[in-house]
Amino acid sequence: MASLIGYYSLIFGFCFSFLIIFFSIKNFRDSNFFDSKLISLSFLQFFFVTISFLGLIISFVNSDFSNETVFNHSHTTKPLFYKISGTWGNHEGSLLLWLLVLTLFIFLFLLRSKNQTKQYRILTLLFQQIIIIGFFIFVIKTSSPFNFIFPIPNEGLGLNPILQDPALAIHPPILYLGYVGSSIIFSSTLAATSLNYISREWAHHIKQWVLISWVFLTIGILLGSIWAYYELGWGGFWFWDPVENVSLMPWLALTTLFHCILVLEKRLILTSWVVVLSIATFTLSMCGTFLVRSGILNSVHTFANDPERGLFILIFLFCLIFLSIFIFFFFHKVKTKNINSIFWFSKDASILINNWFMMYFLSVILIGTTYPIFLEVITSQKISVGPPFYNKLIVPFLIPFLLIMTIGPKLKWIKSDLKDKSYLILSLIFSLIFSILIIKNLNTSFLANTILITSAFYLFFSTLREFFKKRLLNLSQNIAHFGFSLLILSILFNNIFSTEIITNMKIGETFENKNFKINFVRVEKKDEQNFKSIIGKFNIENSNGNIEILRPELRIYNQPNIMTSEADIKTNLLNDQFMTMNLVQNQDYFNIRYQIKPFMVWIWLSVLLITFGALITLFRSKYEN
Amino acid sequence: MKIRIPFLFLTIFFLAIFLVFYKGLQNSNIYVPNNNIEKELPNFQAQLFDKDSEILLKDILKKDKFYLINIWASWCVPCREEHSFLIRLSNQKNIEIVGLNYKDNRQNAKNFLKELDNPYQIIISDKDGTNSIELGAYGVPESFLIYNQKIIKKIIGPLNNKLFIEIKKIIK
Amino acid sequence: MKYFRYVIVVLFLLNFNFANAKVDDLETKITKNLRCLICQGQSVYDSDSDFAVSLKLLVSKKLEEGKNEKQIYDYLKDKYGEWILYDPKFDKSTYFLWLLPILLFITGGAIIFRLFIIKKK
């Protein structure tokens, strides 16, 4: 019943697209004022998609197995929380969620753009409706979440256990808010371009939307990364896996766009570049959806894939790309007055250089991710592009990037000279000595690490100093940049100073090296609602004689019958202790992986700090309005 | 028109990308190593299954004769499926089947053969899985057709009727 | 602020004594660069599949035999194809992969540089 209502209200919502388009065009031609009917229509469309989404949730909660999606991804013994999160944990449901967010955002946009001109608002609505219609057709035609099965099965197939996790339950909605938020930027940029509406005021108005999507995207990526860290069970948090790269690309584009809009807001230069970036952001989000959902690449984070769906997104994606190219070339007018007035030593120039580096990072990731597809199609050779590639091409470029990030924000707009030079030099020397002290005992490549850490510390100290100079004007920027330096430092230290052992142990055995002693005490068995678990108990004694107890777990889920390994992690401010245990085929020992990962928690905290910086900017710009 | 050239250029560029992605969609995303290239047979020390002695692989496999090295284990479900084909193949004249028992418990393996019959001339046991990697395998079951100490065909996954006929054709 | 720095210094000095604990560095490096054929999104090092476990053993065996990193890569490439390496080699099929980003970087730099030059005139 619920899925029937869901299906019909989805169709209803689809029909509203046409109503909206009809009335928009009429309003665009005939009247001088924005017709508030359009807001109501947008609301109704959002309303019906919400009903449809609720219908799906209810089918999941009631375990209504006459619904194919529910049958494929749910099970009666699953806890309620995961029944609900299962709604968007699959391809069909997640697309419905996309649609929901798309309609929500355009509704909010109409509400929040009352100061803008009628034509701009209507055109934005129209462009957004093109995207919405595309997704409606996609959902209804190739991936309807409301298909019936007959005869009705008694029991569902269950949700993949590694998805049954709190972080992953909220990760998709947040990430989609970020992805889909960029659709508003896309539509409104196209609208503004066609109307030649791009101005400093427009930049100010669109900045909010950029920040909102950026914040959601960042938190979405963070959650995904935290999940991968403790659930995938090998202690990393970023694998340069296609699915991760695909979320990082729009993030980079969005970050670049944000910085660029700051320049636009100040000076009305770089307009074309802002347009290109806005288009790129959403296109990259869509491109990511294509790469992940079509199954053209394989990754650890698998999605049900189906070439027919892939084909649809592909065609849709390229329609949007061609539409943007067309509008960009035939409507975009460069305001020539200001074009060539960037002084090399100014804040504008440093932001431009930031853009340059960001685009480089983006191109490395884009090329690295898609190159295997091109190579296979053209020469039918298969290769893998993995972490070593990205590290080699990205890490060296971080050094100048960090240095410019230190100096850039200190400069003034348009034309500047450098104040407190002596301090800048002093702190550089200080950072250098500091880094040498830290890594002098290491046998890893000394020079590279020193330079890298020095530049990160340089940014760290100079942003830290700003906090004490009570220049609250740039507080948000400073927090974000400070967070970034902290992030780079934590990642570097995490990489350099991690300790790890992998060993096989029987119950009762002890493993010892010069830093710690691991004693495998016993295993306990437990029965939970939908899985059985085997919990190991390990005593770990470090060189100071402190004893820590870790309890990694193996879960054997009943439906589907899959074994997962749950890491036990002891976190404190300085390091994480991470342990997993695995069964070995036909042996009486377990495979134990024990890691000490310094500054793990700082990686998460620094990302939160960066997000916090962005939030301050967001609220301040709202306050100014 | 000045804008025409970059416009046309970009359009063609993206069309090309579209075509590549379109083509790419038809390829499988799961990687399987190339199976039909002739490879030199590696030589390694192997533990015999029913005796506590070791033997060199090349000492088992004589020249001018077809061999099928079959990787199996008692815990592997598809191995049960392909077993009847192995039995049928072992009744063929000019081929001998060498079993490579992969990460298995010896007693379970023996029971498995007792239950389903033994098609293997010789069995070597691969306790830690390294021998099968030397051969170039990555799972169970896999089979390697050997002639003149060269791997002439590699079969990933269980044997089936089609493969059985193919092998029969080759050895004739 | 100075106080704060001292605190950081002390924290670092206290807690990085275990920093040298890396054993089997080369083996780790090699297995991190190998892609597992069973769970095709993971490195052999990270994976716990049977294949990966055996491959780790084999790599350490080969290292004991005195083979170097490149020999081991070549050996595995011969068996499983170029695909198994995460770090693609630099040859005519991957010129674009390695050089295109750098080329784009240089182009971007040239465009920005030109913007600055125009101003000077």
Side-chain angles (χ1 to χ4, degrees), chain A residues 401-419:
Chain A
F401 183 69
L402 286 164
L403 292 181
I404 290 158
M405 211 166 153
T406 312
I407 297 170
K410 296 197 191 315
L411 304 178
K412 293 198 180 66
W413 295 102
I414 302 169
K415 189 166 180 171
S416 166
D417 52 12
L418 201 52
K419 281 182 189 133

PDB file of all heavy atoms in Angstrom, chain A residues 401-419:
ATOM      1  N   PHE A 401      52.245  25.027  -2.523  1.00  0.00           N
ATOM      2  CA  PHE A 401      50.851  25.335  -2.210  1.00  0.00           C
ATOM      3  C   PHE A 401      50.726  25.843  -0.774  1.00  0.00           C
ATOM      4  O   PHE A 401      50.092  26.870  -0.504  1.00  0.00           O
ATOM      5  CB  PHE A 401      50.018  24.066  -2.411  1.00  0.00           C
ATOM      6  CG  PHE A 401      48.550  24.245  -2.200  1.00  0.00           C
ATOM      7  CD1 PHE A 401      47.801  24.999  -3.085  1.00  0.00           C
ATOM      8  CD2 PHE A 401      47.908  23.646  -1.136  1.00  0.00           C
ATOM      9  CE1 PHE A 401      46.444  25.170  -2.906  1.00  0.00           C
ATOM     10  CE2 PHE A 401      46.553  23.807  -0.946  1.00  0.00           C
ATOM     11  CZ  PHE A 401      45.818  24.566  -1.835  1.00  0.00           C
ATOM     12  N   LEU A 402      51.374  25.144   0.144  1.00  0.00           N
ATOM     13  CA  LEU A 402      51.314  25.550   1.552  1.00  0.00           C
ATOM     14  C   LEU A 402      52.007  26.890   1.779  1.00  0.00           C
ATOM     15  O   LEU A 402      51.535  27.717   2.557  1.00  0.00           O
ATOM     16  CB  LEU A 402      51.955  24.476   2.431  1.00  0.00           C
ATOM     17  CG  LEU A 402      51.128  23.202   2.612  1.00  0.00           C
ATOM     18  CD1 LEU A 402      51.987  22.077   3.144  1.00  0.00           C
ATOM     19  CD2 LEU A 402      49.973  23.460   3.557  1.00  0.00           C
ATOM     20  N   LEU A 403      53.123  27.092   1.079  1.00  0.00           N
ATOM     21  CA  LEU A 403      53.847  28.348   1.259  1.00  0.00           C
ATOM     22  C   LEU A 403      52.991  29.521   0.801  1.00  0.00           C
ATOM     23  O   LEU A 403      52.893  30.541   1.491  1.00  0.00           O
ATOM     24  CB  LEU A 403      55.173  28.320   0.487  1.00  0.00           C
ATOM     25  CG  LEU A 403      56.217  27.348   1.028  1.00  0.00           C
ATOM     26  CD1 LEU A 403      57.489  27.407   0.206  1.00  0.00           C
ATOM     27  CD2 LEU A 403      56.520  27.661   2.497  1.00  0.00           C
ATOM     28  N   ILE A 404      52.339  29.354  -0.351  1.00  0.00           N
ATOM     29  CA  ILE A 404      51.498  30.442  -0.845  1.00  0.00           C
ATOM     30  C   ILE A 404      50.297  30.653   0.063  1.00  0.00           C
ATOM     31  O   ILE A 404      49.849  31.770   0.295  1.00  0.00           O
ATOM     32  CB  ILE A 404      51.068  30.151  -2.294  1.00  0.00           C
ATOM     33  CG1 ILE A 404      52.276  30.276  -3.199  1.00  0.00           C
ATOM     34  CG2 ILE A 404      49.986  31.106  -2.754  1.00  0.00           C
ATOM     35  CD1 ILE A 404      52.157  29.555  -4.486  1.00  0.00           C
ATOM     36  N   MET A 405      49.840  29.545   0.621  1.00  0.00           N
ATOM     37  CA  MET A 405      48.709  29.658   1.534  1.00  0.00           C
ATOM     38  C   MET A 405      49.097  30.424   2.800  1.00  0.00           C
ATOM     39  O   MET A 405      48.246  31.013   3.461  1.00  0.00           O
ATOM     40  CB  MET A 405      48.266  28.247   1.912  1.00  0.00           C
ATOM     41  CG  MET A 405      46.818  28.118   2.197  1.00  0.00           C
ATOM     42  SD  MET A 405      46.423  26.382   2.210  1.00  0.00           S
ATOM     43  CE  MET A 405      45.030  26.425   3.283  1.00  0.00           C
ATOM     44  N   THR A 406      50.370  30.382   3.138  1.00  0.00           N
ATOM     45  CA  THR A 406      50.814  31.121   4.310  1.00  0.00           C
ATOM     46  C   THR A 406      50.869  32.612   4.010  1.00  0.00           C
ATOM     47  O   THR A 406      50.425  33.438   4.802  1.00  0.00           O
ATOM     48  CB  THR A 406      52.233  30.666   4.721  1.00  0.00           C
ATOM     49  OG1 THR A 406      52.245  29.249   4.734  1.00  0.00           O
ATOM     50  CG2 THR A 406      52.608  31.198   6.070  1.00  0.00           C
ATOM     51  N   ILE A 407      51.447  32.941   2.857  1.00  0.00           N
ATOM     52  CA  ILE A 407      51.700  34.347   2.558  1.00  0.00           C
ATOM     53  C   ILE A 407      50.454  35.021   1.996  1.00  0.00           C
ATOM     54  O   ILE A 407      50.119  36.134   2.387  1.00  0.00           O
ATOM     55  CB  ILE A 407      52.886  34.468   1.577  1.00  0.00           C
ATOM     56  CG1 ILE A 407      54.135  33.910   2.269  1.00  0.00           C
ATOM     57  CG2 ILE A 407      53.105  35.908   1.174  1.00  0.00           C
ATOM     58  CD1 ILE A 407      55.301  33.741   1.370  1.00  0.00           C
ATOM     59  N   GLY A 408      49.745  34.324   1.112  1.00  0.00           N
ATOM     60  CA  GLY A 408      48.605  34.914   0.415  1.00  0.00           C
ATOM     61  C   GLY A 408      47.637  35.702   1.274  1.00  0.00           C
ATOM     62  O   GLY A 408      47.382  36.880   1.013  1.00  0.00           O
ATOM     63  N   PRO A 409      47.082  35.087   2.327  1.00  0.00           N
ATOM     64  CA  PRO A 409      46.059  35.795   3.102  1.00  0.00           C
ATOM     65  C   PRO A 409      46.568  37.058   3.777  1.00  0.00           C
ATOM     66  O   PRO A 409      45.784  37.905   4.191  1.00  0.00           O
ATOM     67  CB  PRO A 409      45.644  34.771   4.151  1.00  0.00           C
ATOM     68  CG  PRO A 409      45.992  33.465   3.572  1.00  0.00           C
ATOM     69  CD  PRO A 409      47.225  33.696   2.779  1.00  0.00           C
ATOM     70  N   LYS A 410      47.898  37.202   3.885  1.00  0.00           N
ATOM     71  CA  LYS A 410      48.426  38.393   4.535  1.00  0.00           C
ATOM     72  C   LYS A 410      48.431  39.588   3.589  1.00  0.00           C
ATOM     73  O   LYS A 410      48.663  40.709   3.996  1.00  0.00           O
ATOM     74  CB  LYS A 410      49.867  38.142   5.002  1.00  0.00           C
ATOM     75  CG  LYS A 410      49.960  37.068   6.070  1.00  0.00           C
ATOM     76  CD  LYS A 410      51.294  37.152   6.761  1.00  0.00           C
ATOM     77  CE  LYS A 410      51.546  35.950   7.640  1.00  0.00           C
ATOM     78  NZ  LYS A 410      50.402  35.578   8.472  1.00  0.00           N
ATOM     79  N   LEU A 411      48.236  39.312   2.305  1.00  0.00           N
ATOM     80  CA  LEU A 411      48.316  40.400   1.328  1.00  0.00           C
ATOM     81  C   LEU A 411      46.978  41.127   1.246  1.00  0.00           C
ATOM     82  O   LEU A 411      45.952  40.650   1.696  1.00  0.00           O
ATOM     83  CB  LEU A 411      48.666  39.826  -0.054  1.00  0.00           C
ATOM     84  CG  LEU A 411      49.941  38.995  -0.094  1.00  0.00           C
ATOM     85  CD1 LEU A 411      50.154  38.444  -1.481  1.00  0.00           C
ATOM     86  CD2 LEU A 411      51.126  39.818   0.329  1.00  0.00           C
ATOM     87  N   LYS A 412      47.037  42.312   0.630  1.00  0.00           N
ATOM     88  CA  LYS A 412      45.814  43.086   0.458  1.00  0.00           C
ATOM     89  C   LYS A 412      45.301  42.888  -0.956  1.00  0.00           C
ATOM     90  O   LYS A 412      46.019  42.478  -1.845  1.00  0.00           O
ATOM     91  CB  LYS A 412      46.109  44.561   0.698  1.00  0.00           C
ATOM     92  CG  LYS A 412      46.472  44.872   2.122  1.00  0.00           C
ATOM     93  CD  LYS A 412      46.318  46.370   2.364  1.00  0.00           C
ATOM     94  CE  LYS A 412      46.673  46.718   3.787  1.00  0.00           C
ATOM     95  NZ  LYS A 412      48.094  46.494   4.082  1.00  0.00           N
ATOM     96  N   TRP A 413      44.033  43.260  -1.138  1.00  0.00           N
ATOM     97  CA  TRP A 413      43.449  43.180  -2.464  1.00  0.00           C
ATOM     98  C   TRP A 413      44.157  44.155  -3.393  1.00  0.00           C
ATOM     99  O   TRP A 413      44.696  45.169  -2.970  1.00  0.00           O
ATOM    100  CB  TRP A 413      41.958  43.508  -2.432  1.00  0.00           C
ATOM    101  CG  TRP A 413      41.151  42.530  -1.662  1.00  0.00           C
ATOM    102  CD1 TRP A 413      40.669  42.677  -0.397  1.00  0.00           C
ATOM    103  CD2 TRP A 413      40.731  41.240  -2.093  1.00  0.00           C
ATOM    104  NE1 TRP A 413      39.979  41.568  -0.022  1.00  0.00           N
ATOM    105  CE2 TRP A 413      39.994  40.665  -1.039  1.00  0.00           C
ATOM    106  CE3 TRP A 413      40.904  40.506  -3.278  1.00  0.00           C
ATOM    107  CZ2 TRP A 413      39.424  39.404  -1.122  1.00  0.00           C
ATOM    108  CZ3 TRP A 413      40.334  39.253  -3.358  1.00  0.00           C
ATOM    109  CH2 TRP A 413      39.608  38.713  -2.284  1.00  0.00           C
ATOM    110  N   ILE A 414      44.098  43.887  -4.656  1.00  0.00           N
ATOM    111  CA  ILE A 414      44.551  44.741  -5.755  1.00  0.00           C
ATOM    112  C   ILE A 414      46.060  44.976  -5.770  1.00  0.00           C
ATOM    113  O   ILE A 414      46.757  44.586  -6.690  1.00  0.00           O
ATOM    114  CB  ILE A 414      43.813  46.093  -5.791  1.00  0.00           C
ATOM    115  CG1 ILE A 414      42.311  45.818  -5.913  1.00  0.00           C
ATOM    116  CG2 ILE A 414      44.279  46.942  -6.958  1.00  0.00           C
ATOM    117  CD1 ILE A 414      41.436  46.998  -5.704  1.00  0.00           C
ATOM    118  N   LYS A 415      46.600  45.611  -4.734  1.00  0.00           N
ATOM    119  CA  LYS A 415      48.036  45.826  -4.734  1.00  0.00           C
ATOM    120  C   LYS A 415      48.505  45.818  -3.284  1.00  0.00           C
ATOM    121  O   LYS A 415      47.829  46.329  -2.408  1.00  0.00           O
ATOM    122  CB  LYS A 415      48.379  47.162  -5.388  1.00  0.00           C
ATOM    123  CG  LYS A 415      49.856  47.328  -5.615  1.00  0.00           C
ATOM    124  CD  LYS A 415      50.160  48.459  -6.528  1.00  0.00           C
ATOM    125  CE  LYS A 415      51.667  48.523  -6.667  1.00  0.00           C
ATOM    126  NZ  LYS A 415      52.095  49.440  -7.682  1.00  0.00           N
ATOM    127  N   SER A 416      49.652  45.222  -3.064  1.00  0.00           N
ATOM    128  CA  SER A 416      50.039  45.036  -1.670  1.00  0.00           C
ATOM    129  C   SER A 416      51.544  45.020  -1.547  1.00  0.00           C
ATOM    130  O   SER A 416      52.270  44.814  -2.512  1.00  0.00           O
ATOM    131  CB  SER A 416      49.453  43.714  -1.185  1.00  0.00           C
ATOM    132  OG  SER A 416      50.050  43.333   0.009  1.00  0.00           O
ATOM    133  N   ASP A 417      52.019  45.311  -0.357  1.00  0.00           N
ATOM    134  CA  ASP A 417      53.409  44.954  -0.079  1.00  0.00           C
ATOM    135  C   ASP A 417      53.417  44.122   1.186  1.00  0.00           C
ATOM    136  O   ASP A 417      52.435  44.040   1.912  1.00  0.00           O
ATOM    137  CB  ASP A 417      54.291  46.190   0.044  1.00  0.00           C
ATOM    138  CG  ASP A 417      53.692  47.166   1.025  1.00  0.00           C
ATOM    139  OD1 ASP A 417      52.757  46.775   1.743  1.00  0.00           O
ATOM    140  OD2 ASP A 417      54.138  48.327   1.049  1.00  0.00           O
ATOM    141  N   LEU A 418      54.506  43.478   1.413  1.00  0.00           N
ATOM    142  CA  LEU A 418      54.534  42.503   2.484  1.00  0.00           C
ATOM    143  C   LEU A 418      54.933  43.177   3.780  1.00  0.00           C
ATOM    144  O   LEU A 418      55.995  43.773   3.886  1.00  0.00           O
ATOM    145  CB  LEU A 418      55.506  41.392   2.132  1.00  0.00           C
ATOM    146  CG  LEU A 418      55.299  40.080   2.865  1.00  0.00           C
ATOM    147  CD1 LEU A 418      53.869  39.620   2.735  1.00  0.00           C
ATOM    148  CD2 LEU A 418      56.248  39.051   2.313  1.00  0.00           C
ATOM    149  N   LYS A 419      54.052  43.083   4.788  1.00  0.00           N
ATOM    150  CA  LYS A 419      54.441  43.588   6.100  1.00  0.00           C
ATOM    151  C   LYS A 419      55.069  42.467   6.905  1.00  0.00           C
ATOM    152  O   LYS A 419      55.070  41.325   6.512  1.00  0.00           O
ATOM    153  CB  LYS A 419      53.212  44.145   6.812  1.00  0.00           C
ATOM    154  CG  LYS A 419      52.880  45.518   6.281  1.00  0.00           C
ATOM    155  CD  LYS A 419      51.710  46.099   7.011  1.00  0.00           C
ATOM    156  CE  LYS A 419      51.299  47.357   6.278  1.00  0.00           C
ATOM    157  NZ  LYS A 419      49.887  47.431   6.060  1.00  0.00           N
TER     158      LYS A 419
END
